[in-house]
């Protein structure tokens, strides 16, 4: 009888374990890994406006009992722009290495006199997120496989665009600032662009923006990503209601695959 109960217990444990594992999707990722470092320059016409640094930590972290990449995105205004608008922002996402989903998201915004700091914890088994610092409403119900603003970009990098038709739209549920968004990214085909490192083959993507007074049209943001396994953004153009901003890659290191310039 003891052996029978022991056997039933083992089978129950295995079944429960596989059931828990199966609740997470499995995303094949050949695009990025620990130690990736990318720097960008943002300019308004000929003026340097800001810089952004995107880092994937060389060390994996365990969050919610899941192995995660820790990704930091730091942005700040520079030069004359910093005298007018001082921005020091950080976004940090702990991204599940198997599901490419966020387990935790941290925001630190310092924009002139405005300050905001917040930790968001994701529970993908219950489809909820929790805002840890809140004293009022702190738990929000979200869709399956919901993303934050950083993890959604890394998920896009895992997509095989060779299987998409030009004009096809990818939809990604995302949660930020107490709001659930249905992020949409349109694949616009292939192109070649010139960078400081040389010319390179790229894929053209356009996030579809909802109507607003800040951006100029629903295709105000254009992104060119490397047409290779990395799929890293090399150039971004943003059409604003009062001008345009451009972002270009300035430095890169630790990529999973070498970039092919010509």
């Amino acid at each position: 009888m003891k052996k029978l109960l022991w056997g039933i217990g083992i089978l129950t444990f295995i079944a429960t374990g596989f059931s828990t594992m199966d609740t997470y999707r499995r995303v094949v990722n050949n695009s990025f890994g620990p130690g990736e470092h990318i720097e960008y320059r943002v300019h308004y016409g000929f003026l340097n406006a800001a810089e952004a640094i995107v880092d994937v930590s060389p060390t994996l972290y365990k969050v919610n009992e899941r192995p995660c990449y820790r990704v930091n995105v730091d942005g700040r205004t520079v030069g004359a722009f910093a005298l007018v608008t001082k921005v020091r922002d950080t976004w940090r996402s702990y991204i599940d290495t198997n599901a490419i989903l966020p387990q935790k998201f941290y925001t630190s915004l310092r924009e002139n006199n405005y300050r905001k700091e917040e930790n968001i914890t994701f529970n993908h088994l219950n489809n909820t997120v929790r805002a840890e610092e809140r004293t009022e409403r702190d738990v929000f119900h979200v869709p399956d496989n919901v993303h934050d603003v950083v993890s959604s970009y890394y998920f896009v990098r895992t997509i095989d665009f060779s299987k998409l038709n030009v004009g096809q739209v990818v939809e990604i549920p995302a949660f930020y600032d107490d709001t659930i968004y249905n992020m949409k990214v349109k694949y616009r085909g292939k192109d070649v662009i010139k960078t400081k490192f040389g010319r390179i083959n790229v894929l053209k993507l356009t996030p579809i923006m909802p109507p607003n007074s800040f951006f100029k049209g629903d295709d105000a943001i254009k992104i060119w990503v490397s047409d290779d396994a990395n799929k890293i953004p090399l150039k971004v153009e943003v059409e604003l209601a009062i001008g345009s901003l451009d972002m270009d890659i300035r430095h890169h290191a630790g990529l999973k695959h070498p970039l092919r310039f010509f």
Side-chain angles (χ1 to χ4, degrees):
M1 178 62 72
K2 287 184 178 179
K3 289 184 178 180
L4 178 60
L5 292 174
W6 181 81
I8 292 173
I10 291 296
L11 290 174
T12 302
F13 172 79
I14 292 174
T16 303
F18 276 113
S19 174
T20 301
M21 290 175 61
D22 287 347
T23 58
Y24 273 90
R25 70 184 184 189
R26 177 73 173 90
V27 173
V28 177
N29 169 31
N30 295 315
S31 298
F32 65 90
E36 183 180 271
H37 175 87
I38 307 174
E39 298 178 11
Y40 295 96
R41 178 180 73 102
V42 181
H43 49 101
Y44 187 87
F46 294 104
L47 297 176
N48 285 341
E51 62 182 18
I53 299 175
V54 186
D55 270 314
V56 183
S57 171
T59 304
L60 295 181
Y61 289 75
K62 181 174 282 190
V63 182
N64 295 337
E65 299 303 314
R66 303 279 295 185
C68 293
Y69 303 111
R70 190 194 72 181
V71 180
N72 270 7
V73 179
D74 295 301
R76 64 172 191 147
T77 50
V78 297
F81 272 78
L83 298 177
V84 178
T85 303
K86 187 173 183 179
V87 173
R88 298 289 185 272
D89 291 347
T90 296
W91 297 271
R92 180 178 301 134
S93 182
Y94 293 86
I95 303 173
D96 192 296
T97 59
N98 293 310
I100 312 300
L101 287 171
Q103 294 291 347
K104 194 177 184 67
F105 181 66
Y106 167 76
T107 308
S108 174
L109 304 181
R110 299 170 59 196
E111 301 170 356
N112 293 329
N113 294 325
Y114 175 77
R115 297 289 186 272
K116 178 180 179 180
E117 190 167 4
E118 187 170 60
N119 286 281
I120 300 290
T121 300
F122 290 77
N123 187 328
H124 293 285
L125 302 182
N126 295 332
N127 282 354
T128 59
V129 296
R130 180 181 178 86
E132 297 180 6
E133 286 81 13
R134 302 292 180 83
T135 56
E136 63 278 4
R137 182 184 179 189
D138 60 350
V139 176
F140 300 82
H141 292 279
V142 294
D144 289 338
N145 299 324
V146 71
H147 281 272
D148 61 44
V149 294
V150 174
S151 68
S152 58
Y153 148 69
Y154 282 89
F155 173 68
V156 168
R157 289 178 60 182
T158 68
I159 295 172
D160 185 356
F161 287 94
S162 68
K163 297 181 179 179
L164 300 185
N165 297 320
V166 174
Q168 192 167 341
V169 174
V170 177
E171 298 189 18
I172 304 169
F175 178 86
Y176 182 69
D177 200 19
D178 300 356
T179 304
I180 298 170
Y181 299 90
N182 188 26
M183 296 181 61
K184 297 180 180 181
V185 180
K186 181 181 289 188
Y187 171 51
R188 304 297 291 268
K190 298 190 176 188
D191 199 355
V192 176
I193 64 169
K194 184 179 180 181
T195 74
K196 64 174 289 186
F197 306 102
R199 294 165 64 84
I200 189 170
N201 294 316
V202 293
L203 306 173
K204 297 185 293 183
L205 306 177
T206 302
I208 300 175
M209 305 299 296
N212 62 82
S213 59
F214 187 71
F215 296 107
K216 189 177 181 180
D218 58 1
D219 61 347
I221 302 178
K222 300 178 179 66
I223 305 174
W224 289 265
V225 305
S226 57
D227 185 8
D228 61 4
N230 294 299
K231 291 190 282 291
I232 65 167
L234 298 168
K235 181 178 179 63
V236 179
E237 289 183 357
V238 182
E239 295 291 334
L240 305 173
I242 52 171
S244 63
L245 289 173
D246 296 284
M247 185 175 81
D248 299 298
I249 190 168
R250 183 177 67 183
H251 176 72
H252 60 85
L255 301 184
K256 205 164 188 177
H257 312 276
L259 293 174
R260 304 293 184 183
F261 296 97
F262 57 91

